Amino acid sequence: MIKKKLLASVAVLAMMSMMPAGNVMTREGKTTIINTTSLARDVEGYNGQTPLKIYIENNKIVKVEALPNNETPKYFAKVKKNLLVKWVDMPVNKAAKAKIDGVTGATFSSKAVKENVKRGVQYYKKNKKH
């Protein structure tokens, strides 16, 4: 019974990974939200993917939010507190090229987060409605 449930779960996850990334860019009022889950599947921190939601208004990042991940909570808390805020109020053109220092002790997580932001911003720039 457990084996069947596990196989069913694996099959669902496999099918989801093949689905198009239709939910990458959504809107809530004036805010465009980029979800990097499918944009950065190959980007991994210390314990796997570190997907983000990037909130953009008027071509400026207003918030970066970490989505569920398997990073070590103690270290990823530092990333949330000290790294995600670095992009707030930054124009997307600058964010795409910004050289931002990572968090000491959370090197892999920091690199993954920075790559997620970079890909999210690039996707936004390419697909935003003018």
Side-chain angles (χ1 to χ4, degrees):
M1 181 74 146
I2 293 174
K3 255 186 177 178
K4 285 182 182 179
K5 284 183 180 181
L6 180 62
L7 287 175
S9 296
V10 169
V12 168
L13 288 173
M15 287 190 307
M16 286 173 60
S17 71
M18 292 185 278
M19 294 171 75
N23 65 343
V24 171
M25 188 161 65
T26 57
R27 294 210 34 110
E28 286 182 13
K30 296 179 184 180
T31 307
T32 300
I33 303 165
I34 305 297
N35 183 325
T36 67
T37 301
S38 61
L39 288 178
R41 287 178 207 249
D42 61 321
V43 177
E44 294 194 356
Y46 187 72
N47 284 319
Q49 294 179 311
T50 57
L52 305 171
K53 278 189 178 178
I54 304 165
Y55 296 76
I56 301 169
E57 289 180 16
N58 299 319
N59 288 318
K60 271 190 174 179
I61 296 174
V62 294
K63 178 180 168 184
V64 179
E65 175 184 315
L67 294 173
N69 61 63
N70 292 317
E71 297 299 274
T72 308
K74 174 183 169 185
Y75 295 106
F76 204 72
K78 292 179 183 180
V79 170
K80 286 181 181 179
K81 182 180 177 187
N82 300 308
L83 185 60
L84 297 184
V85 297
K86 302 263 181 154
W87 289 279
V88 173
D89 292 329
M90 189 179 288
V92 293
N93 286 335
K94 184 177 178 186
K97 303 175 225 164
K99 302 280 188 216
I100 295 186
D101 291 334
V103 175
T104 302
T107 305
F108 292 107
S109 299
S110 295
K111 285 181 182 179
V113 164
K114 290 190 287 184
E115 183 63 23
N116 270 269
V117 171
K118 178 181 171 185
R119 290 189 190 189
V121 168
Q122 288 172 340
Y123 184 91
Y124 170 79
K125 288 172 57 177
K126 183 178 177 184
N127 294 286
K128 71 179 178 175
K129 299 205 190 300
H130 299 280

